[in-house]
Amino acid sequence: MHASDTTQGRGAAGVAEFQGPSPRGGVVQPNRNLLVRKLNPPQSWNPRVENYLRATGFYHVSRIGMIRGFHPLLAALVERWRPETHTFVLPVGEVTVTLEDVAHIFGLPIDGEPVSGWTDNSSDFVQSQSMAIFGRQPVLSRNSKSYIKLGWVRSIRDEEPLDTEESIRRYVRCKIFCLLGSTLFTDKSTAYAHAKYLPLLRDFERIHTYSWGSACLAHLYRALCRASRYDTKEMDGPLNLLFVWAWERMPCIAPVPRHILPLAEIPVAMRWSHSERSAAWLEKTVETFRHDIDYMQEGFDIGIICGSLSGGRTKE
């Protein structure tokens, strides 16, 4: 962690209440309403496929329930983001979301092969990959023929009888594809996922060999860099990861004290699912979150996620 002038982290996002001198010098910009991407309710899954989900590395992230975002907090965080270093500039120094954080919060694998490959947007590619993964022709986005409707994928999953090995694997592939589109690599549509991920799911035995956590973290960094532009109106990306990281690392901005939450376990995000929020916290604005961040103290308001997972109160 390196100390730095906190005023430098605000200009990029342009989030403040007024124009004029800030308390620490420099000029802050007018507020903008940075919207939180609408999150779909989490989807349950048949317990008969648990061992298959474990084998693919997606068991932990599939257990995370609804985590409600809050746009004033998001705006206060984004204005602290420095794209050139991929860090949040705080009064106590610079911090960022790490691979270890992703492993603890989402329980995703962070070692292995990169999530990469060639992208083919042709209709033949989408059709052939969809037949191989889902066993039928896809329902595509009207705007882009390379995006597959997640609602259609969920319906395919729920129709699987789970009476054969192939049926179970198809069910799990559908579940993972929905997680990719709704949790790991989300975009602003919230209803579609790109067909480019389908080839990574064809070989069931290789799904666990990819570093899904690394790709998810890269997606978050890119989303934060885009959101830091002054003309951006909405942020996508793995926002569950960002909010839980902020609440675990900075208790002063969390909706509830950590000690009243369930025991920390992998995935840490689970204990923030459906967490209660006080009326006072819901009334907070960008300005009050900014104040909380400005006056945090090193060693007291900066928590260590892995530390909370090694204090004898955790389980996996």
Side-chain angles (χ1 to χ4, degrees):
M1 181 180 296
H2 303 286
S4 181
D5 182 3
T6 58
T7 59
Q8 296 181 20
R10 292 205 171 164
V15 184
E17 184 178 11
F18 56 87
Q19 291 199 23
S22 73
R24 295 171 311 285
V27 177
V28 292
Q29 303 297 325
N31 260 342
R32 64 191 171 103
N33 187 18
L34 186 63
L35 299 178
V36 177
R37 183 183 57 82
K38 181 181 178 182
L39 300 175
N40 293 320
Q43 300 291 314
S44 60
W45 40 270
N46 193 306
R48 293 166 59 185
V49 306
E50 177 178 325
N51 289 336
Y52 289 83
L53 279 172
R54 288 184 181 274
T56 61
F58 279 85
Y59 169 71
H60 290 305
V61 71
S62 69
R63 299 165 61 211
I64 300 172
M66 172 61 74
I67 298 174
R68 292 167 293 174
F70 197 47
H71 73 83
L73 172 57
L74 181 63
L77 289 172
V78 169
E79 70 179 9
R80 294 282 183 172
W81 181 254
R82 180 175 287 176
E84 61 270 24
T85 58
H86 289 165
T87 57
F88 293 98
V89 181
L90 305 178
V92 296
E94 297 184 14
V95 298
T96 195
V97 188
T98 66
L99 279 176
E100 186 177 31
D101 294 327
V102 179
H104 284 106
I105 295 173
F106 274 0
L108 287 169
I110 58 175
D111 298 317
E113 300 180 41
V115 178
S116 63
W118 53 274
T119 300
D120 186 344
N121 294 326
S122 68
S123 176
D124 290 342
F125 169 82
V126 177
Q127 297 288 342
S128 63
Q129 293 296 322
S130 180
M131 288 296 297
I133 300 300
F134 308 124
R136 60 201 74 187
Q137 299 293 325
V139 173
L140 304 174
S141 166
R142 294 180 180 178
N143 299 324
S144 175
K145 298 305 181 182
S146 56
Y147 281 83
I148 297 175
K149 191 172 183 179
L150 293 179
W152 174 80
V153 177
R154 294 188 184 102
S155 67
I156 298 300
R157 178 200 62 190
D158 294 340
E159 292 172 3
E160 289 296 330
L162 303 180
D163 55 354
T164 65
E165 183 79 5
E166 181 56 34
S167 177
I168 293 174
R169 292 190 174 200
R170 184 178 296 119
Y171 181 105
V172 173
R173 288 189 180 100
C174 289
K175 175 64 178 177
I176 293 174
F177 188 76
C178 290
L179 285 170
L180 298 180
S182 64
T183 304
L184 273 66
F185 310 127
T186 52
D187 59 24
K188 294 175 183 177
S189 75
T190 74
Y192 295 87
H194 202 287
K196 65 184 178 182
Y197 302 118
L198 293 180
L200 301 173
L201 306 181
R202 290 194 64 164
D203 188 342
F204 196 86
E205 308 300 333
R206 288 180 56 83
I207 295 175
H208 76 282
T209 66
Y210 294 104
S211 180
W212 297 103
S214 302
C216 180
L217 181 61
H219 194 76
L220 175 63
Y221 282 1
R222 182 172 64 176
L224 282 165
C225 290
R226 288 175 174 174
S228 68
R229 301 169 184 169
Y230 76 94
D231 57 346
T232 300
K233 304 300 182 183
E234 184 179 10
M235 179 175 170
D236 56 11
L239 295 182
N240 287 350
L241 173 63
L242 177 61
F243 281 120
V244 173
W245 174 86
W247 295 333
E248 289 283 339
R249 290 287 193 180
M250 295 176 277
C252 62
I253 62 174
V256 294
R258 285 187 298 179
H259 70 271
I260 71 173
L261 294 171
L263 299 181
E265 61 176 294
I266 304 293
V268 172
M270 268 190 66
R271 69 176 186 157
W272 293 96
S273 300
H274 309 288
S275 61
E276 296 295 330
R277 304 174 179 208
S278 66
W281 191 86
L282 290 172
E283 291 174 356
K284 285 192 172 187
T285 64
V286 176
E287 291 72 32
T288 53
F289 281 118
R290 183 181 298 132
H291 178 274
D292 292 342
I293 294 174
D294 282 347
Y295 291 96
M296 67 171 52
Q297 300 175 25
E298 187 173 10
F300 178 77
D301 289 320
I302 299 294
I304 300 176
I305 296 176
C306 58
S308 67
L309 285 167
S310 59
R313 289 172 48 83
T314 64
K315 58 183 179 178
E316 179 172 359

